[in-house]
Amino acid sequence: MLSGFKDFILRGNVISMAIGLAVGAAFTAVVTGFSDAFVIPLIGVATEGTGDYSEAVFEVQGVEFPYGLFISAAIAFLITAAVLYFCVVLPMTKVQNRFTKDEPFSIKAAVRDCPRCYTEIPAIASRCAHCTSEVEPVREALQKAGLLPAQR
């Protein structure tokens, strides 16, 4: 029983996920610190507010609503999301696109419905296999399959 748990914990993807979570938590702390130290005071200057904007509250029937905390957290989230997108997601997408090869076109992958019996047939089919009615093949599918020259 414990050996299965040990195998689960020592599995590579679990350790990588744990490291990713730890780095993410540290990165979030850095972004929150940056947001609190620089961005929030700049918003206070721009809106002619005084002091720390994250401490702003409004009151309704004696209940305080600290909307400044929400704005501070939202700004930290936007900064974190932007940095992750532009520094991690976008470069990784470019790397993946560079190393992935174009998959060959599969003639049967492009499908459509038969106009008579509404069953699924290949887009390059000229006759339905189910009701045997003649259908017009899809021109783009014929071109991708190399059965027609490309249209100019």
Side-chain angles (χ1 to χ4, degrees), residues 69-103:
L69 289 175
F70 171 74
I71 292 173
S72 177
I75 290 170
F77 169 76
L78 289 175
I79 292 171
T80 304
V83 168
L84 288 175
Y85 177 76
F86 290 111
C87 295
V88 177
V89 174
L90 204 59
M92 285 304 295
T93 302
K94 288 183 180 182
V95 168
Q96 285 177 341
N97 288 342
R98 181 176 293 173
F99 290 110
T100 57
K101 296 178 181 172
D102 290 334
E103 294 181 12

Coordinates of all heavy atoms in Angstrom, one line a residue, residues 69-103:
L69 N -8.7 46.6 -2.0 CA -8.0 45.3 -1.9 C -8.3 44.5 -3.2 O -7.5 43.8 -3.8 CB -8.5 44.5 -0.7 CG -7.9 44.9 0.6 CD1 -8.6 44.1 1.7 CD2 -6.4 44.8 0.7
F70 N -9.6 44.6 -3.6 CA -10.0 43.9 -4.9 C -9.2 44.5 -6.1 O -8.7 43.7 -6.9 CB -11.5 44.0 -5.1 CG -11.9 43.5 -6.5 CD1 -11.9 42.2 -6.7 CD2 -12.2 44.4 -7.5 CE1 -12.3 41.7 -8.0 CE2 -12.6 44.0 -8.7 CZ -12.6 42.6 -9.0
I71 N -9.1 45.8 -6.2 CA -8.4 46.4 -7.3 C -7.0 46.0 -7.3 O -6.4 45.7 -8.3 CB -8.6 48.0 -7.2 CG1 -10.1 48.3 -7.5 CG2 -7.7 48.6 -8.2 CD1 -10.4 49.8 -7.4
S72 N -6.4 46.0 -6.1 CA -5.0 45.6 -5.9 C -4.8 44.1 -6.4 O -3.8 43.8 -7.2 CB -4.5 45.7 -4.5 OG -3.2 45.3 -4.3
A73 N -5.7 43.3 -6.0 CA -5.6 41.8 -6.4 C -5.8 41.7 -7.9 O -5.2 40.9 -8.5 CB -6.6 41.0 -5.6
A74 N -6.8 42.5 -8.4 CA -7.0 42.4 -9.9 C -5.8 42.8 -10.7 O -5.5 42.2 -11.7 CB -8.3 43.2 -10.2
I75 N -5.2 43.9 -10.2 CA -4.0 44.4 -11.0 C -2.9 43.4 -10.9 O -2.2 43.1 -11.9 CB -3.6 45.8 -10.4 CG1 -4.6 46.8 -10.8 CG2 -2.2 46.1 -10.9 CD1 -4.4 48.2 -10.1
A76 N -2.7 42.8 -9.7 CA -1.6 41.7 -9.6 C -2.0 40.5 -10.5 O -1.0 40.0 -11.1 CB -1.5 41.3 -8.1
F77 N -3.2 40.2 -10.6 CA -3.6 39.1 -11.5 C -3.3 39.4 -12.9 O -2.8 38.6 -13.7 CB -5.1 38.7 -11.3 CG -5.6 37.8 -12.3 CD1 -5.3 36.5 -12.3 CD2 -6.4 38.3 -13.4 CE1 -5.8 35.6 -13.2 CE2 -6.9 37.4 -14.4 CZ -6.6 36.1 -14.3
L78 N -3.7 40.6 -13.3 CA -3.4 41.0 -14.7 C -2.0 41.0 -15.1 O -1.5 40.6 -16.1 CB -4.1 42.4 -15.0 CG -5.6 42.4 -15.1 CD1 -6.1 43.8 -15.2 CD2 -6.1 41.5 -16.2
I79 N -1.1 41.5 -14.1 CA 0.3 41.5 -14.4 C 0.8 40.1 -14.5 O 1.6 39.8 -15.4 CB 1.0 42.3 -13.2 CG1 0.7 43.8 -13.3 CG2 2.5 42.1 -13.3 CD1 1.2 44.6 -12.1
T80 N 0.4 39.2 -13.5 CA 0.8 37.8 -13.6 C 0.4 37.2 -14.9 O 1.2 36.5 -15.5 CB 0.2 37.1 -12.4 OG1 0.6 37.7 -11.2 CG2 0.7 35.6 -12.3
A81 N -0.9 37.4 -15.3 CA -1.3 36.8 -16.5 C -0.6 37.3 -17.7 O -0.2 36.5 -18.6 CB -2.8 37.0 -16.7
A82 N -0.3 38.6 -17.8 CA 0.4 39.1 -18.9 C 1.8 38.6 -19.0 O 2.3 38.2 -20.1 CB 0.4 40.6 -18.8
V83 N 2.5 38.5 -17.8 CA 3.9 38.0 -17.8 C 3.9 36.5 -18.2 O 4.7 36.1 -19.0 CB 4.5 38.2 -16.5 CG1 5.8 37.5 -16.3 CG2 4.8 39.7 -16.2
L84 N 3.0 35.8 -17.7 CA 3.0 34.3 -18.0 C 2.7 34.1 -19.5 O 3.2 33.3 -20.2 CB 1.9 33.6 -17.2 CG 2.3 33.4 -15.7 CD1 1.2 32.8 -15.0 CD2 3.6 32.5 -15.6
Y85 N 1.7 34.9 -20.1 CA 1.4 34.8 -21.5 C 2.6 35.2 -22.4 O 2.9 34.4 -23.3 CB 0.2 35.6 -21.8 CG -0.2 35.5 -23.3 CD1 -0.8 34.4 -23.8 CD2 0.1 36.6 -24.2 CE1 -1.1 34.3 -25.1 CE2 -0.2 36.5 -25.5 CZ -0.8 35.3 -26.0 OH -1.1 35.2 -27.3
F86 N 3.1 36.3 -22.1 CA 4.2 36.8 -23.0 C 5.5 36.2 -22.8 O 6.3 36.1 -23.7 CB 4.3 38.4 -22.9 CG 3.1 39.1 -23.5 CD1 2.2 39.8 -22.7 CD2 2.9 39.0 -24.9 CE1 1.1 40.4 -23.3 CE2 1.8 39.7 -25.4 CZ 0.9 40.4 -24.6
C87 N 5.8 35.7 -21.6 CA 7.1 35.1 -21.3 C 7.1 33.6 -21.3 O 8.2 32.9 -21.4 CB 7.6 35.6 -20.0 SG 8.0 37.3 -20.0
V88 N 5.9 32.9 -21.2 CA 5.9 31.5 -21.2 C 5.0 30.9 -22.3 O 5.5 30.1 -23.2 CB 5.4 31.0 -19.8 CG1 5.2 29.4 -19.8 CG2 6.2 31.4 -18.7
V89 N 3.8 31.3 -22.4 CA 2.8 30.7 -23.3 C 3.2 31.0 -24.8 O 3.3 30.1 -25.6 CB 1.4 31.1 -23.1 CG1 0.4 30.6 -24.1 CG2 1.0 30.6 -21.7
L90 N 3.4 32.3 -25.1 CA 3.8 32.7 -26.5 C 5.1 32.1 -26.9 O 5.1 31.5 -28.0 CB 3.8 34.2 -26.5 CG 3.6 34.8 -27.9 CD1 2.2 34.4 -28.5 CD2 3.6 36.4 -27.8
P91 N 6.2 32.1 -26.2 CA 7.4 31.5 -26.7 C 7.2 30.0 -26.8 O 7.8 29.4 -27.8 CB 8.4 31.8 -25.6 CG 7.9 33.0 -24.9 CD 6.4 32.9 -25.0
M92 N 6.5 29.3 -25.9 CA 6.4 27.9 -26.0 C 5.5 27.5 -27.2 O 5.8 26.5 -27.8 CB 5.7 27.3 -24.7 CG 6.7 27.2 -23.5 SD 8.2 26.3 -23.9 CE 7.5 24.7 -24.1
T93 N 4.5 28.3 -27.5 CA 3.7 28.0 -28.7 C 4.6 28.1 -29.9 O 4.4 27.3 -30.9 CB 2.5 29.0 -28.8 OG1 1.8 28.9 -27.6 CG2 1.6 28.7 -30.0
K94 N 5.4 29.1 -30.0 CA 6.3 29.3 -31.2 C 7.3 28.1 -31.3 O 7.5 27.6 -32.4 CB 7.1 30.6 -31.1 CG 6.2 31.8 -31.3 CD 7.0 33.1 -31.3 CE 6.1 34.3 -31.6 NZ 6.8 35.5 -31.7
V95 N 7.8 27.7 -30.2 CA 8.7 26.5 -30.2 C 8.0 25.3 -30.6 O 8.5 24.5 -31.5 CB 9.4 26.3 -28.8 CG1 10.1 25.0 -28.7 CG2 10.3 27.4 -28.5
Q96 N 6.8 25.1 -30.1 CA 6.0 23.9 -30.5 C 5.7 23.9 -32.0 O 5.7 22.9 -32.7 CB 4.7 23.8 -29.7 CG 5.0 23.3 -28.3 CD 3.7 23.3 -27.4 OE1 2.7 23.9 -27.8 NE2 3.8 22.5 -26.3
N97 N 5.3 25.1 -32.5 CA 4.9 25.2 -33.9 C 6.2 25.0 -34.8 O 6.0 24.5 -35.9 CB 4.3 26.6 -34.2 CG 2.9 26.7 -33.6 OD1 2.3 25.7 -33.3 ND2 2.5 28.0 -33.5
R98 N 7.3 25.3 -34.3 CA 8.5 25.2 -35.1 C 8.9 23.7 -35.2 O 9.4 23.2 -36.3 CB 9.7 25.9 -34.5 CG 11.0 25.8 -35.2 CD 12.1 26.6 -34.6 NE 11.7 28.0 -34.8 CZ 12.4 29.0 -34.2 NH1 13.5 28.7 -33.5 NH2 12.0 30.2 -34.4
F99 N 8.6 22.9 -34.2 CA 9.0 21.5 -34.2 C 7.9 20.5 -34.6 O 8.2 19.4 -34.8 CB 9.6 21.1 -32.8 CG 10.9 21.8 -32.6 CD1 11.0 22.7 -31.6 CD2 12.0 21.4 -33.3 CE1 12.3 23.3 -31.3 CE2 13.3 22.0 -33.0 CZ 13.4 23.0 -32.1
T100 N 6.7 21.0 -34.7 CA 5.7 20.1 -35.2 C 5.6 20.1 -36.7 O 5.7 21.1 -37.3 CB 4.3 20.5 -34.6 OG1 4.0 21.8 -35.0 CG2 4.2 20.4 -33.1
K101 N 5.5 18.9 -37.2 CA 5.4 18.8 -38.6 C 3.9 18.8 -39.1 O 3.1 18.4 -38.4 CB 6.0 17.5 -39.1 CG 7.5 17.4 -38.8 CD 8.1 16.1 -39.2 CE 9.5 16.0 -38.8 NZ 10.1 14.7 -39.0
D102 N 3.7 19.4 -40.3 CA 2.4 19.4 -40.8 C 1.9 17.9 -41.1 O 2.6 17.2 -41.7 CB 2.3 20.2 -42.1 CG 2.5 21.7 -41.9 OD1 2.2 22.1 -40.8 OD2 3.0 22.3 -42.8
E103 N 0.8 17.6 -40.5 CA 0.3 16.3 -40.7 C -0.3 16.2 -42.1 O -0.9 17.1 -42.6 CB -0.8 16.0 -39.7 CG -0.3 15.9 -38.3 CD -1.3 15.6 -37.3 OE1 -2.4 15.2 -37.7 OE2 -1.0 15.7 -36.1

